Amino acid sequence: MPVEVIMPKLGMAMKEGTVSQWNKTEGEAVKKGDPIASISSEKIEMEIESPADGSVLKINVPEGKGVPPGTVICYIGNPDEEVAATAAPVQEEKGQKEEIQAAHPAPPPKKPGKARVKISPVARKMAEASGIKPEDIIGTGPGGRITKEDVEQAIASAKESRKQDIPVQALAEEPQRIPVSGMRKVIAERMHLSLQSAAQLTITMKADVTELLALQTQVKETIAKRYGSKLTITDFAARAAILALENHPEMNSAFMDNTIVTYPEIHLGIATAVEKGLIVPVIRNADSKSLIDLAKEIKEKTAAARAGKLPADEMQGSTFTISSLGASGVEFFTPILNPPEAGILGVGAVSDEAVFIGDKIEKRSRLPLSLTFDHRVLDGAPAAAFLQTVKQYLEEPVTMLL
């Protein structure tokens, strides 16, 4: 009997998964452990490996098609087995089966044993958009796999070749076109929905973190020896936000169905950049954790998210989010709400400034803070009071250790 490969359930809330790329072709032989397809859900993109050896691959779900978890996406078997008889393939549109078959007869299966080009899904899309055949690109990744950088190099080489053959006055750069799919498509839809569905306003403030940086340096060695960790500006900002949320519970809210829902627990989201987009690991019951425990969990979950190993359930259910662009040198910015949350705090890069302390000018370290809030949930004054409390905790860092 052929082996069924199903769309996995990547989280309790997952309703649909998409086959973003087939790495094997119809009729091709596969071995156990071969990456046969790339799939994506709302927040995760991953590769599916073959669970068994087989001389024939039968594709049941086309690229770009979303299907519920548990749907058979392909079969792995042998030529003498009725691979296609176990279930009908998923059609592109309901009710179009006869029209599709009549207008586009199914092509004969490709002969097994054909060499497969190893290429990442992103690299394949870039190559297709640029009109470059993957077979013409030399891969520098593990096992000769073609990477995004290899495609970029091939595109640059192709442009240089064209320049040598075309008169200078006829040269023109062609725009690169990359289809939006998978995680990038979900992010685009969610960000657009966020701006459409909430009355978003951003206010800014700077916190004097001179004493905080001194404390960070003072405890650095002790924290490293005792806990094998370190405290970052983001860790302190997260702790300050949590304490401020306890003082201003209206910020720990959401606007849903013309109702303001205020949460009793604080589940802190940490916006994290990954290779293919942005995801938000969640620190549950963050108000019950010490600064050290909070810092360790932030590092563990963001590292797992970047490695693609964080379960989907741990990227859902946040009540307030922090986004930091300080490492990129950004000061103030406009973070976009993570629906349906009422607030998100942006943390910028620390800079040294000349500040009047009384009648004297001193060198002080200042941290830019950007708070975006939903004006349907609270007004400017309470939002400013919340941000002022965050600032106060950052300027009195010892209070965050108590």
Side-chain angles (χ1 to χ4, degrees):
M1 291 291 293
V3 176
E4 296 181 347
V5 180
I6 66 170
M7 175 65 69
K9 190 173 181 63
L10 303 178
M12 294 298 294
M14 176 180 169
K15 297 181 180 179
E16 186 178 272
T18 301
V19 179
S20 52
Q21 181 76 48
W22 281 107
N23 299 328
K24 292 284 188 178
T25 58
E26 181 88 6
E28 187 175 350
V30 297
K31 292 184 178 181
K32 184 177 181 180
D34 279 354
I36 56 177
S38 295
I39 63 168
S40 60
S41 67
E42 182 177 339
K43 296 186 177 181
I44 291 181
E45 185 156 341
M46 62 178 289
E47 285 192 335
I48 293 290
E49 296 182 351
S50 174
D53 294 338
S55 58
V56 174
L57 174 72
K58 174 64 179 177
I59 293 175
N60 195 55
V61 176
E63 287 183 1
K65 183 68 178 179
V67 294
T71 301
V72 178
I73 61 173
C74 71
Y75 304 90
I76 297 170
N78 297 308
D80 57 342
E81 294 178 320
E82 292 293 330
V83 176
T86 54
V90 176
Q91 298 299 325
E92 291 292 339
E93 297 292 340
K94 185 177 180 181
Q96 294 183 351
K97 180 176 180 181
E98 291 78 11
E99 294 181 19
I100 292 173
Q101 290 178 341
H104 304 284
K110 295 184 179 180
K111 294 181 179 180
K114 181 180 179 181
R116 180 177 68 89
V117 177
K118 296 180 179 179
I119 181 170
S120 70
V122 172
R124 183 182 292 277
K125 291 173 184 175
M126 288 179 61
E128 291 174 350
S130 303
I132 298 176
K133 295 180 180 180
E135 295 82 0
D136 297 334
I137 304 174
I138 299 175
T140 61
R145 185 179 178 88
I146 298 172
T147 65
K148 174 184 175 183
E149 289 73 21
D150 295 330
V151 178
E152 290 174 344
Q153 181 62 43
I155 293 172
S157 298
K159 287 181 179 179
E160 188 62 32
S161 297
R162 287 198 298 270
K163 287 180 181 180
Q164 295 175 2
D165 299 332
I166 303 174
V168 175
Q169 63 271 23
L171 289 177
E173 290 288 334
E174 296 181 0
Q176 185 182 30
R177 301 180 185 276
I178 302 176
V180 178
S181 62
M183 185 183 294
R184 185 75 262 157
K185 182 178 181 181
V186 173
I187 291 174
E189 291 172 348
R190 286 180 62 85
M191 292 300 97
H192 190 219
L193 175 63
S194 175
L195 291 172
Q196 284 185 318
S197 62
Q200 303 193 30
L201 179 66
T202 301
I203 57 177
T204 62
M205 196 175 288
K206 279 191 176 182
D208 188 330
V209 292
T210 308
E211 278 72 27
L212 187 150
L213 294 179
L215 176 63
Q216 183 186 36
T217 301
Q218 182 181 347
V219 302
K220 179 179 179 180
E221 199 171 312
T222 301
I223 297 297
K225 286 182 179 179
R226 183 172 297 183
Y227 302 103
S229 185
K230 66 177 181 179
L231 296 175
T232 67
I233 291 295
T234 299
D235 298 331
F236 281 107
R239 177 64 174 161
I242 292 165
L243 294 173
L245 288 170
E246 291 181 327
N247 292 318
H248 304 273
E250 65 273 16
M251 186 59 73
N252 195 49
S253 301
F255 191 93
M256 296 185 290
D257 299 325
N258 290 321
T259 302
I260 297 174
V261 180
T262 301
Y263 300 104
E265 302 89 7
I266 297 173
H267 302 317
L268 186 67
I270 305 293
T272 304
V274 295
E275 182 183 358
K276 298 178 181 178
L278 184 73
I279 58 179
V280 185
V282 179
I283 312 299
R284 303 202 181 281
N285 300 304
D287 49 321
S288 67
K289 302 180 189 297
S290 67
L291 176 60
I292 295 298
D293 291 337
L294 178 67
K296 290 179 69 175
E297 189 166 344
I298 288 175
K299 288 175 181 60
E300 289 170 359
K301 288 195 171 180
T302 54
R306 292 189 180 102
K309 297 180 180 179
L310 189 66
D313 290 346
E314 296 192 29
M315 292 182 282
Q316 299 171 358
S318 56
T319 60
F320 185 87
T321 297
I322 285 183
S323 178
S324 177
L325 291 178
S328 301
V330 175
E331 293 188 344
F332 292 111
F333 60 102
T334 305
I336 298 177
L337 290 176
N338 185 18
E341 296 169 23
I344 179 171
L345 178 66
V347 181
V350 176
S351 61
D352 291 333
E353 300 177 3
V355 180
F356 274 103
I357 306 296
D359 294 331
K360 297 181 180 179
I361 295 179
E362 294 185 13
K363 176 184 174 182
R364 308 293 291 183
S365 298
R366 308 247 284 170
L367 177 68
L369 302 171
S370 306
L371 175 69
T372 297
F373 63 96
D374 190 340
H375 218 315
R376 298 174 303 171
V377 176
L378 68 167
D379 297 322
F386 167 81
L387 191 56
Q388 181 65 44
T389 303
V390 173
K391 175 178 180 288
Q392 182 179 343
Y393 277 116
L394 291 170
E395 293 183 341
E396 301 173 3
V398 175
T399 59
M400 292 189 281
L401 302 178
L402 300 177

